[in-house]
Amino acid sequence: MNAIVALCHFCELHGPRTLFCTEVLHSPLPQGAGNGDSPGQSEQAEDEEGGIQMSSRIRSHSPAEGASADSSSPGPKKSDMCEGCRSLAAGHPGYVSHDTETSIKYVSHQHPNHPQLFSIVRQACVRSLSCEVCPGREGPIFFGDEQHGFVFSHTFFIKDSLARGFQRWYSIITIMMDRIYLINSWPFLLGKIRGIIDELQGKALKVFEAEQYGCPQRAQRMNTAFTPFLHQRNGNAARSLTSLTNDDNLWACLHTSFAWLLKACGSRLTEKLLEGAPTEDTLVQMEKLADLKEESEGWDGSEGEEEKPSAQPDVVEGRELTKCPTDTSLMSDCSSWNVASRRLSIFRSLRHMRQVLGASAFRMLAWHVLMGNQVIWKARDADLVQSAFDILRTMLPVGCVRIIPYSDRYEEAYRCNFLGLSPHVHIPPHILSSEFAVIVEVRTATRCSLYPVLFDDEQPLSKYEFVVTSGSPVAADRVGPTILNKIEAALTNQNLSVDVVDQCLVCLKEEWMNKVKVLFKFTKVDSRPKEDTQKLLSILGAAEEDNVKLLKFWMTGLSKTYKSHLMSTVRSPTSSESRN
């Protein structure tokens, strides 16, 4: 993570000061920076390796290489510093940790060596301990701008028996130029920095209590005669953080903590390049997963309550919620379901299903699927039904798919458009004669030659025959929706592989979902008259009756994100003014 983490202190004599900072270096250190490692320093650094899981070494720097003792350093002069303003002693080489995985170095010293970075850290330090504070003066706050960077600051107090009010004021700041990244890292930074602060305060509290027990300062101050105010400040100001915590290895520990913080924060968020805007299927899947996660959390909190009857399964994103175990995570459940689906795939592709069912029966089935009519499969083999639904659902947007894979009772069309039933389930007569439903009966074949076995994995299909019926059969000479004709053309073209056909199907769905978006905005958002709608459908090449029905059905698969975005855009004053 390209950031700087710094510990700051408000000195009673010199104001806000930077005590210690850790920065990230992607380029190699200057020549000679690795010379002069002492055995004691190496052993001390190696003891800290477990904390940051990197190879740590303390490097020696000559004053010309940026040591704090250099007179040309951008840091303050020695005369402007007291013990409370200083972390590393004069001539201290600083600390360097090497990340062997990424060849990145984490360098810690009192001030950044680069003048521009020193100015940025100095300004953030002053703002974090003066004007940019949260209520109560202790806690996190965010501030910054594009020019000087954005800052996450957490202010806190350290107990000191010799200070005014028996405490001194510090802050830990994280500076980045990427505002979005820093805001997204807020929860992570808050928890880890709060842990560092608690450790510092705990050490200081032990020292404070020991000093108060040996020589109580409150009573001594009340009994002491009046002395000049400046004399008291001069006597109490110069006290380092190492003496307040009684920890000689404090700066080495802080270096390890800050280096680990930079590495961990940079590893937890990754950037992924997406070509174009997310598709509607992606948005709907994200919304479905979020809903499932909320419901699974509700199940975890309602243990001991009466379970739902298994005869009425809930349907979300094409599977039964009753099959979701409450003691497993959402993502593992979804992945295991997908693995099971792939393992039980009997129909390999749309082209394979067309070969099994026959051209006319497949066209009738595909027409009903695209129109949003209820597709009912009756079979003894639930895996066969699930495999068929996995193939047929690829013709529809994700938001239009509602599946009950296998049930022992009929479910109404408003609950599902894909329904699997066992052979003995009674289907209402009005459904059998309805033009808005298609039924596929899987019967035991009287002759194995009904479907020739070409491959070993087709053996399960050789013992079945498939009968497709509907109250409104699709005539062979009917034009049908445009997308159905294009799908059939791709399936019959033997020069196209199955993978190429799948990509064609994705492109066709995206093309028609774009038409659905235009129609939705035109009719639902802008509320245009019917005459204008007919003109728009002609322009889109979807004026035929089947195409119009398909667009209206697919409109139900639009994501909530897209719909809310359109509504909020229309209601905003700027959009209304631009239309006028």
Side-chain angles (χ1 to χ4, degrees):
M1 183 175 72
N2 292 325
I4 297 179
V5 182
L7 173 66
C8 307
H9 166 52
F10 190 91
C11 179
E12 295 182 2
L13 288 179
H14 306 105
R17 294 289 185 178
T18 304
L19 284 181
F20 194 76
C21 67
T22 301
E23 57 183 313
V24 180
L25 293 182
H26 295 271
S27 58
L29 287 175
Q31 290 184 355
N35 298 330
D37 286 356
S38 62
Q41 290 174 335
S42 299
E43 292 175 2
Q44 179 184 0
E46 292 299 331
D47 292 340
E48 302 295 333
E49 281 190 23
I52 58 176
Q53 298 180 354
M54 292 181 289
S55 59
S56 296
R57 304 242 177 211
I58 301 178
R59 298 288 185 178
S60 296
H61 298 264
S62 64
E65 291 165 354
S68 58
D70 186 11
S71 58
S72 62
S73 173
K77 299 179 180 179
K78 291 183 180 180
S79 58
D80 296 335
M81 298 177 64
C82 61
E83 289 298 322
C85 301
R86 183 181 296 111
S87 57
L88 303 180
H92 194 284
Y95 302 93
V96 177
S97 291
H98 301 264
D99 187 351
T100 57
E101 297 178 357
T102 59
S103 299
I104 293 177
K105 298 178 178 64
Y106 300 91
V107 182
S108 295
H109 32 62
Q110 182 157 357
H111 305 100
N113 296 320
H114 195 282
Q116 186 177 1
L117 290 180
F118 173 82
S119 176
I120 292 175
V121 174
R122 171 64 179 166
Q123 185 183 48
C125 170
V126 172
R127 293 181 64 177
S128 69
L129 293 172
S130 58
C131 54
E132 305 287 355
V133 293
C134 63
R137 301 185 70 189
E138 269 193 305
I141 195 169
F142 178 88
F143 60 88
D145 53 59
E146 296 287 348
Q147 181 179 0
H148 300 97
F150 299 93
V151 182
F152 171 86
S153 171
H154 197 302
T155 53
F156 60 98
F157 290 105
I158 291 290
K159 285 291 186 179
D160 182 6
S161 60
L162 301 180
R164 288 185 301 164
F166 300 102
Q167 59 186 10
R168 297 186 184 274
W169 202 19
Y170 292 84
S171 69
I172 296 179
I173 59 176
T174 303
I175 309 170
M176 284 189 69
M177 300 304 295
D178 192 338
R179 177 176 60 90
I180 301 299
Y181 197 102
L182 187 58
I183 292 177
N184 289 334
S185 302
W186 175 289
F188 176 81
L189 291 174
L190 179 60
K192 303 307 177 184
I193 291 179
R194 185 67 249 179
I196 297 174
I197 292 173
D198 290 342
E199 186 175 357
L200 292 175
Q201 290 178 332
K203 293 179 179 179
L205 182 60
K206 293 180 180 179
V207 176
F208 174 79
E209 292 176 347
E211 292 178 349
Q212 287 292 84
Y213 180 78
C215 182
Q217 291 293 317
R218 186 179 301 274
Q220 183 178 358
R221 294 182 186 184
M222 294 178 63
N223 297 329
T224 301
F226 173 77
T227 54
F229 178 69
L230 288 178
H231 176 72
Q232 285 191 359
R233 292 184 62 191
N234 290 335
N236 300 339
R239 196 172 186 194
S240 65
L241 186 59
T242 53
S243 72
L244 293 178
T245 58
N246 193 26
D247 187 359
D248 296 334
N249 295 324
L250 175 66
W251 306 117
C253 294
L254 279 180
H255 163 74
T256 301
S257 299
F258 287 173
W260 180 90
L261 184 68
L262 289 170
K263 177 179 173 62
C265 191
S267 301
R268 59 180 294 272
L269 295 178
T270 57
E271 296 180 352
K272 184 178 181 181
L273 179 62
L274 297 177
E275 297 181 0
T279 63
E280 282 299 302
D281 284 357
T282 303
L283 294 176
V284 172
Q285 286 173 348
M286 293 170 61
E287 293 172 355
K288 296 290 186 181
L289 285 176
D291 294 341
L292 281 175
K293 185 175 182 180
E294 292 181 0
E295 293 185 13
S296 63
E297 291 175 354
W299 291 335
D300 293 338
S302 59
E303 294 181 358
E305 295 182 0
E306 184 178 358
E307 297 182 357
K308 292 183 179 181
S310 58
Q312 297 180 354
D314 291 328
V315 183
V316 176
E317 202 191 355
R319 59 193 183 96
E320 294 175 286
L321 291 179
T322 53
K323 292 187 177 181
C324 297
T326 58
D327 57 346
T328 57
S329 63
L330 171 70
M331 298 307 296
S332 62
D333 176 60
C334 292
S335 61
S336 63
W337 181 81
N338 290 331
V339 170
S341 299
R342 288 192 297 268
R343 184 174 63 250
L344 300 176
S345 59
I346 299 175
F347 291 101
R348 299 191 304 273
S349 63
L350 281 174
R351 177 177 289 171
H352 181 218
M353 179 177 288
R354 187 174 184 269
Q355 294 173 351
V356 173
L357 299 182
S360 59
F362 176 81
R363 180 177 176 84
M364 180 192 303
L365 179 61
W367 184 88
H368 284 278
V369 170
L370 293 172
M371 293 294 105
N373 298 334
Q374 191 174 39
V375 178
I376 303 173
W377 279 64
K378 297 184 67 175
R380 296 183 181 276
D381 190 352
D383 296 338
L384 173 66
V385 176
Q386 180 66 71
S387 176
F389 288 164
D390 289 341
I391 297 299
L392 293 174
R393 67 184 297 172
T394 59
M395 292 192 292
L396 292 178
V398 173
C400 296
V401 177
R402 302 183 310 279
I403 296 179
I404 295 181
Y406 206 72
S407 177
D408 56 357
R409 54 174 291 181
Y410 172 76
E411 299 290 345
E412 295 293 339
Y414 72 89
R415 290 181 54 84
C416 60
N417 56 339
F418 292 96
L419 175 61
L421 298 175
S422 58
H424 68 275
V425 176
H426 174 70
I427 299 178
H430 69 278
I431 299 299
L432 296 174
S433 60
S434 173
E435 61 179 335
F436 301 109
V438 60
I439 302 173
V440 180
E441 292 188 66
V442 183
R443 303 171 181 173
T444 303
T446 56
R447 294 179 302 165
C448 293
S449 59
L450 287 177
Y451 175 68
V453 179
L454 301 179
F455 303 98
D456 292 339
D457 56 358
E458 294 181 356
Q459 186 69 32
L461 294 174
S462 63
K463 54 186 178 182
Y464 298 120
E465 62 176 335
F466 302 87
V467 180
V468 183
T469 58
S470 174
S472 175
V474 180
D477 57 348
R478 185 168 181 171
V479 177
T482 304
I483 188 174
L484 175 59
N485 299 327
K486 292 184 177 180
I487 290 175
E488 284 198 313
L491 295 177
T492 55
N493 190 347
Q494 297 299 325
N495 294 326
L496 303 180
S497 64
V498 175
D499 294 335
V500 174
V501 172
D502 291 341
Q503 293 302 317
C504 290
L505 188 58
V506 171
C507 295
L508 287 174
K509 288 196 295 183
E510 193 65 21
E511 175 190 352
W512 281 83
M513 281 304 293
N514 290 334
K515 296 180 181 182
V516 169
K517 291 179 181 180
V518 174
L519 183 62
F520 176 81
K521 185 178 187 305
F522 199 82
T523 57
K524 304 297 183 181
V525 179
D526 296 340
S527 301
R528 299 296 184 92
K530 293 184 177 180
E531 295 77 7
D532 294 345
T533 303
Q534 290 298 327
K535 294 179 182 178
L536 174 65
L537 291 173
S538 300
I539 295 173
L540 295 176
E544 295 80 6
E545 180 183 1
D546 285 350
N547 288 330
V548 174
K549 290 181 179 179
L550 182 142
L551 292 176
K552 290 182 178 179
F553 168 58
W554 283 29
M555 199 178 294
T556 62
L558 289 174
S559 62
K560 299 177 185 177
T561 304
Y562 177 78
K563 293 180 181 178
S564 60
H565 171 70
L566 281 185
M567 294 300 181
S568 60
T569 304
V570 170
R571 291 171 184 170
S572 62
T574 55
S575 61
S576 59
E577 290 176 2
S578 62
R579 286 191 300 173
N580 295 333

